[in-house]
Amino acid sequence: MASITFENVGKVYPGGTRAIYDVSLHVEDGEFVVLVGPSGCGKSTLLRMVAGLEEVTEGKLSIGDRVVNDVPPKDRDIAMVFQNYALYPHMTVYENMAFGLRLRKMPDEEIDRRVNEAARILEIHEYLDRRPKALSGGQRQRVAMGRAIVREPAAFLMDEPLSNLDAKLRVQMRSEIGLLQERLGTTTLYVTHDQTEAMTMGDRVAVLRKISREGESNLQQIDSPRNLYDSPDNLFVAGFIGSPSMNFVYGTIQEEGGEIHVKFAGHSLRVDRAAIAKRPSLGNYSGQEIVLGLRPEAFEIAQAMPNASDDQKITVKPQLVEQLGSEAYVHFEMDSPPVITPDIQELLEDQGAGEESLGSVTKFTARVNPDLAPEAGQETVLVVDTSKLHYFDKDTGTAIR
């Protein structure tokens, strides 16, 4: 096993197209790190650099203590699991898993031991004599994993390995890969565009974006899943992480009668001073327009919180209410211009939408108690937990801490 280290790594293709700029990232020995971000953000390019399938044009890339910028792929001691499985259709499962070991001229007894041990771990022992076409998608993915495991490499590289599976099987395979990595303790770098997948699997998650500003790295933030969710560094990370995504609205912070209030879309809510004290830089923004972020769970139906004060309540009229059994999503609008920043525009583009999709009002989603959820069109009072507010500079998109 070994660590993986990117030091100011960049990638410029012939012709001058830049895909990666100034990425510095260290994956500890035995750590499971997920690279996540929208299409075109460079996550697969970074993975292919580690594999040796893409040249590093700037900076330094190390596996363990060895710089591998110029080391051929076969000498890097890594194993890669691809999105499309890449199994040989004319070979049995056993032969597919053993193929790489045979190329290394490993003794037959050792090949047999490794293949059978991997098959036992992955619960595919009964399929060793079958060919890939006789297997389901999940079984083929297990074979692809087995082919990587038998190598006993220093690191696993996984490029969207679950994207071809149906939703139910993806959930199952997510947990199985996580348990497998924990059992084997092999350093793993995993690429996905699915932020739910990233948050449930990674020890740490690295959020990437396209290079949008001169001199800005693709890497926006790397942290534990919980810290990414609770303390996003900027609007892009805040909007990308979380489902449903964070609500954004323009607002101001002002002091009234000795109390701190946050004002947005015609509402004025009292904010606990302790919450403000955790962000001393907010004092520099008093009276200035900023971007407020509210996660859907920052709202609750007023009946569920009888002790809430009036200065923490807003009245809305839902356009749509989605009942999901364990929770309900209440969709409503407020008469306030939608937040338009480069970060938000990039997130919209990733969703196949444009600025015009926001309309002229700010749209909100609240996650509430399903037993108290209103009907669409029914005037509803919501309580806002202002301790869960996020604050961002509207010009830079940076979180105000």
Side-chain angles (χ1 to χ4, degrees), residues 238-254:
F240 188 82
I241 297 296
S243 181
S245 58
M246 186 181 286
N247 303 289
F248 297 113
V249 62
Y250 291 116
T252 57
I253 294 176
Q254 295 179 344

Side-chain angles (χ1 to χ4, degrees), residues 118-138:
R120 183 185 63 77
I121 291 171
L122 293 163
E123 299 180 354
I124 53 173
H125 209 280
E126 61 189 285
Y127 308 126
L128 289 177
D129 294 329
R130 297 189 188 180
R131 286 184 167 77
K133 67 179 181 181
L135 304 176
S136 68

Side-chain angles (χ1 to χ4, degrees), residues 175-299:
S175 60
E176 290 187 7
I177 289 175
L179 290 170
L180 179 65
Q181 192 275 340
E182 192 172 308
R183 176 176 178 176
L184 298 174
T186 307
T187 307
T188 302
L189 196 57
Y190 187 106
V191 160
T192 180
H193 68 279
D194 184 332
Q195 56 101 3
T196 302
E197 200 169 289
M199 297 287 277
T200 54
M201 296 180 72
D203 296 325
R204 287 190 299 155
V205 178
V207 181
L208 304 170
R209 69 184 293 185
K210 299 175 188 175
I211 301 169
S212 58
R213 287 188 280 262
E214 184 70 28
E216 182 179 50
S217 171
N218 302 69
L219 181 61
Q220 297 296 290
Q221 187 175 354
I222 177 166
D223 213 326
S224 68
R226 184 74 203 190
N227 286 343
L228 276 181
Y229 190 83
D230 288 341
S231 302
D233 280 351
N234 56 44
L235 279 170
F236 182 84
V237 176
F240 188 82
I241 297 296
S243 181
S245 58
M246 186 181 286
N247 303 289
F248 297 113
V249 62
Y250 291 116
T252 57
I253 294 176
Q254 295 179 344
E255 187 163 349
E256 294 180 355
E259 297 284 357
I260 303 293
H261 283 251
V262 60
K263 298 190 171 187
F264 63 94
H267 298 281
S268 181
L269 302 178
R270 179 176 52 81
V271 183
D272 187 76
R273 283 188 177 273
I276 297 294
K278 293 177 182 177
R279 300 172 174 84
S281 295
L282 269 176
N284 301 327
Y285 289 83
S286 180
Q288 297 180 37
E289 189 171 61
I290 59 176
V291 175
L292 301 172
L294 301 90
R295 296 261 182 222
E297 61 270 23
F299 300 93

Side-chain angles (χ1 to χ4, degrees), residues 28-78:
E28 297 282 356
D29 187 357
E31 189 178 22
F32 194 125
V33 169
V34 181
L35 305 180
V36 67
S39 298
C41 70
K43 52 189 184 294
S44 290
T45 301
L46 287 171
L47 198 75
R48 290 170 64 82
M49 284 180 173
V50 180
L53 303 176
E54 293 280 5
E55 179 188 2
V56 178
T57 51
E58 297 168 351
K60 186 165 68 174
L61 175 62
S62 304
I63 298 177
D65 297 326
R66 181 173 63 153
V67 177
V68 296
N69 287 41
D70 301 315
V71 175
K74 64 183 179 63
D75 297 327
R76 297 193 178 198
D77 194 21
I78 54 92

